[in-house]
Amino acid sequence: MATIVPPRSEIPEKYRWNAESVFSTLKAWESEFKQIEEALMNQSISVPPEVRSGQALYELLESSLNWLTRAKKIYLYAGLEHSVETTIADAAQRYSEARSLLSKVESRLAAIQPLVIQLGKEKIRAWLDEDKNLSIYRFHLEDILRKQKHVRSNEIETLLGLLRDPFSGTSAAAQMLTSADFKFPPALTMQDEPIELTQGSYPSLLADPDPNVRKTAWNHYLDLYLAHQNTLATTLETSIKQNVLLARTRDYESSLHASLDEYRIPTEVFNNLLETFQTNLPLWHRYWNIRREALGGKRLQVYDTWAPLASERPHVPYEQAVEWICAGLEPMGEAYTAAIRRGCSEDRWVDVYPNQGKRGGAFSSGVHGTHPFIVMSYNDTLFSLSTLAHELGHSMHSYLTWNNQPVVYSDYSLFVAEVASNFHQAMVRAYLLEQFDQPEFRIAVIEEAMANIYRYLLIMPTLARLELESHQRIEKGMGLTAQILKELCLEYFKEAYGPGVELDPERTGMIWATFGHLYVDYYVYQYATGIAGASAFAQKILSGESGAVDRYLAFLNVGGACYPIDALSTAGVDLASPQPVQAAFDSMEALLDELEFLLGKIGR
């Protein structure tokens, strides 16, 4: 069997992330872990029953953030190890213990919100005006006061904080099952030669020119999920029930309202997205027809929706990808691209290549005071280049936020995070299409663009529809089984794919289980709003709009210091309106026009 995934020991150090920059050794991590445990035991980490001055409140907030940051670094370090070594028991144990420690710290400090509310708006606002140090926390404190109706007593908030760790066990169990325990049968070529199938290799196999590789990768991948469908359905149902419980505990109308209210996102944003998505489904049906004709006229299977349209896809080594990404982002300024180059080389932000036991997918993660780390499985394609650009968008968002905001505003919402990541992809694609005029190369670039748009403006809105229906069923007291989830998933994807794609009911119905995003309430819709916001920013900058670069950089720099809708609106994009999402579909239509022209030019 062709082995395409090496053990981690064979990955050169320069392609592995710099975990030792967080803690130089495991012993240093263990020492810090013990110090935080001791602080919990001796009540060094605690919230007093009252504070009597703005200075005292400031010191409490500073101390709490210091402890939280230290605990997050413990969790980050363990997570870095576990993400690339999911099959090592000691790494899994450290990750679990770190998650538990962070939960204990968060729980111990959960009493701050009830304390602030008990102090009252009048006193808090007077202290903010009087105390220069405390004034840094103005937005943070005003946000706590805004949520007053949904904040519970000291005892209940402490209990809710303690629940975070055990409640996270459902998603952790699903992640361990699918990343560590799943052993997929190999994909097979037309000559029946086996190719190793893993979480890391699956995306590239779906884009293989060999139709039998695509078919067997799809079948063998989904079949293993089907074999565990009841377990996976139970973990998802439990996760939804937990989130519904939390929403009801805080007296929210629904889990959707609870999720959106965290960052004051209007429900119209969610509803407008789904309506605009469904209105534009004929555009997707047009794309499937273009693909069908280019691939020989046969009806498409789902696994053909990633099949290559270009006769040759460009070979893009990692170092070349970094250079093209920096070239595409040149309008952002020299300091911006220099930070990317430094992060991708000497500072080793990126864990680049797949290895045995490495989790699937890609993400960017870090804590104020660390590097913004990236995990991915780079495979020398335009698709991997795009993934790297995407994750570097997240990392640069964190990098600039951490360099321009105090710790209290170092976290930003998922809603704005997906704008920053997709912005990078849009800018780099525009650069490649401007620089290269060869039809085959341009087709490959548009293919990659459409694959990303496919994920963001078809798969994610479809999963958002499934998520909404699933939550509403739980909120009504109805059950949620594997069969129900499969039927709902199949129904929504049948509508999304239309008549041009032939669906395998069982496997298509199981797509929901392949997305761990569903364990975070109302996460997936933010991919679609994110790509819409990113497209709008990229168009402004590429068209040379005066001040667009400065406004976008200001948007990144603000981090969590204001509400996401306000940050976007100030920078010139109104995602409370359906217009940006519709504009993203309009941009997709322009790509389809270009794709049809290029395919005609090469006679396909």
Side-chain angles (χ1 to χ4, degrees), residues 50-322:
E50 62 177 343
V51 293
R52 298 183 178 179
S53 68
Q55 179 63 22
L57 180 57
Y58 169 75
E59 291 172 358
L60 171 62
L61 293 171
E62 288 283 293
S63 173
S64 69
L65 284 172
N66 176 58
W67 286 116
L68 276 171
T69 300
R70 290 175 65 179
K72 286 178 179 179
K73 285 183 179 178
I74 288 284
Y75 180 63
L76 171 67
Y77 183 85
L80 294 179
E81 179 188 25
H82 180 59
S83 294
V84 297
E85 299 277 19
T86 62
T87 58
I88 294 181
D90 287 348
Q93 181 178 342
R94 282 189 284 272
Y95 184 55
S96 176
E97 291 172 348
R99 184 172 63 241
S100 179
L101 184 73
L102 175 58
S103 177
K104 289 175 184 176
V105 173
E106 289 175 333
S107 175
R108 187 67 63 83
L109 298 173
I112 288 177
Q113 289 195 62
L115 175 64
V116 169
I117 288 170
Q118 182 182 352
L119 288 167
K121 292 181 181 180
E122 186 175 338
K123 183 175 289 187
I124 290 291
R125 287 171 179 168
W127 285 353
L128 284 168
D129 292 338
E130 294 166 2
D131 193 297
K132 184 179 179 180
N133 290 328
L134 185 63
S135 65
I136 294 172
Y137 288 92
R138 183 178 296 276
F139 175 74
H140 175 66
L141 293 169
E142 290 285 2
D143 188 49
I144 292 174
L145 294 170
R146 176 184 70 86
K147 298 173 184 172
Q148 179 170 349
K149 175 186 175 184
H150 306 292
V151 175
R152 295 297 167 248
S153 67
N154 186 357
E155 292 79 8
I156 293 177
E157 288 295 335
T158 299
L159 175 61
L160 292 176
L162 288 170
L163 286 175
R164 289 177 187 174
D165 180 30
F167 274 21
S168 70
T170 50
S171 62
Q175 177 69 36
M176 285 297 289
L177 175 65
T178 58
S179 290
D181 295 341
F182 273 16
K183 306 299 178 188
F184 300 98
L188 300 171
T189 68
M190 293 290 285
Q191 292 75 36
D192 283 335
E193 296 171 351
I195 301 177
E196 188 175 11
L197 172 61
T198 66
Q199 292 287 5
S201 68
Y202 178 61
S204 62
L205 294 178
L206 286 182
D208 197 279
D210 186 330
N212 204 58
V213 170
R214 299 195 301 270
K215 177 181 179 180
T216 54
W218 167 264
N219 289 349
H220 295 170
Y221 188 79
L222 269 299
D223 284 349
L224 196 51
Y225 280 89
L226 279 164
H228 295 82
Q229 61 182 293
N230 295 315
T231 298
L232 291 166
T234 299
T235 56
L236 182 58
E237 180 191 39
T238 302
S239 177
I240 294 173
K241 285 182 176 179
Q242 290 166 346
N243 290 322
V244 169
L245 170 65
L246 293 174
R248 287 175 174 166
T249 301
R250 295 195 180 283
D251 195 27
Y252 280 103
E253 181 180 336
S254 69
S255 53
L256 174 63
H257 286 83
S259 177
L260 298 182
D261 185 61
E262 177 65 22
Y263 294 102
R264 207 181 67 174
I265 296 171
T267 54
E268 290 78 16
V269 172
F270 184 85
N271 295 330
N272 286 339
L273 167 66
L274 296 190
E275 290 173 10
T276 308
F277 163 65
Q278 289 179 268
T279 299
N280 284 277
L281 284 178
L283 197 58
W284 280 112
H285 302 164
R286 177 191 171 195
Y287 178 51
W288 308 133
N289 285 332
I290 293 172
R291 275 195 152 270
R292 176 179 54 78
E293 292 176 10
L295 294 171
K298 294 181 180 179
R299 193 175 183 195
L300 294 180
Q301 304 292 326
V302 174
Y303 51 77
D304 292 324
T305 57
W306 294 275
L309 298 179
S311 58
E312 250 185 70
R313 283 181 164 171
H315 178 75
V316 189
Y318 175 72
E319 286 77 10
Q320 178 66 79
V322 173

Side-chain angles (χ1 to χ4, degrees), residues 21-41:
S21 66
V22 183
F23 288 99
S24 58
T25 63
L26 179 58
K27 187 174 180 179
W29 178 86
E30 290 171 340
S31 175
E32 175 72 346
F33 190 107
K34 183 177 291 187
Q35 288 183 40
I36 297 175
E37 273 193 320
E38 290 173 353
L40 285 166
M41 291 176 62

Side-chain angles (χ1 to χ4, degrees), residues 324 382 385 428-436 441 445:
W324 278 350
L382 279 175
L385 177 152
V428 174
R429 286 190 207 109
Y431 167 78
L432 293 175
L433 288 172
E434 180 184 5
Q435 293 296 312
F436 297 92
F441 187 92
V445 173

